[in-house]
């Protein structure tokens, strides 16, 4: 994720923050990726015309046990820094 996904995300103008998280359960790890974008158009530059479709890399096949087909998008309506 650090070598492939992070540089791919960082190349997109409009990416404000991204967080990779991991939770280990025995021999299985669960990953959650949270990204904060300037607007939905920046998401489309990264993900393609359908921002609700999950994006994967060819090498993900050797690591992932399952792949969600959909991305979940939310709008931030309040934050505290």
């Amino acid at each position: 994720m650090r070598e492939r996904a992070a540089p791919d995300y960082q190349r997109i103008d409009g990416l404000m923050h991204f967080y990779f998280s991991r939770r280990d359960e025995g021999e299985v790890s669960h990953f959650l990726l949270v990204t904060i974008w300037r607007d939905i158009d920046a998401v489309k530059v990264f993900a393609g015309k359908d921002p609700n479709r999950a994006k994967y890399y060819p090498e993900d096949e050797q690591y992932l046990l399952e792949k969600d087909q959909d991305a979940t998008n939310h709008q931030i309506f309040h934050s505290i820094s």
Side-chain angles (χ1 to χ4, degrees):
M1 292 176 79
R2 289 183 189 125
E3 294 173 9
R4 174 74 151 132
D8 193 31
Y9 280 87
Q10 289 175 303
R11 71 179 173 79
I12 304 297
D13 182 40
L15 176 69
M16 298 170 63
H17 300 282
F18 68 96
Y19 306 92
F20 294 152
S21 68
R22 180 173 116 187
R23 180 174 47 88
D24 296 326
E25 286 184 352
E27 295 185 16
V28 174
S29 295
H30 302 270
F31 293 89
L32 174 66
L33 170 61
V34 176
T35 56
I36 310 295
W37 300 88
R38 178 185 59 234
D39 54 34
I40 196 68
D41 290 329
V43 177
K44 289 178 182 178
V45 170
F46 174 76
K49 66 181 178 179
D50 184 358
N52 296 311
R53 189 86 170 142
K55 178 177 175 176
Y56 291 98
Y57 303 97
E59 58 271 27
D60 289 340
E61 290 293 326
Q62 63 184 322
Y63 300 109
L64 300 178
L65 299 176
E66 55 188 43
K67 296 188 303 186
D68 292 330
Q69 295 304 307
D70 298 316
T72 303
N73 295 295
H74 296 262
Q75 292 182 347
I76 296 173
F77 65 92
H78 181 76
S79 69
I80 298 173
S81 298

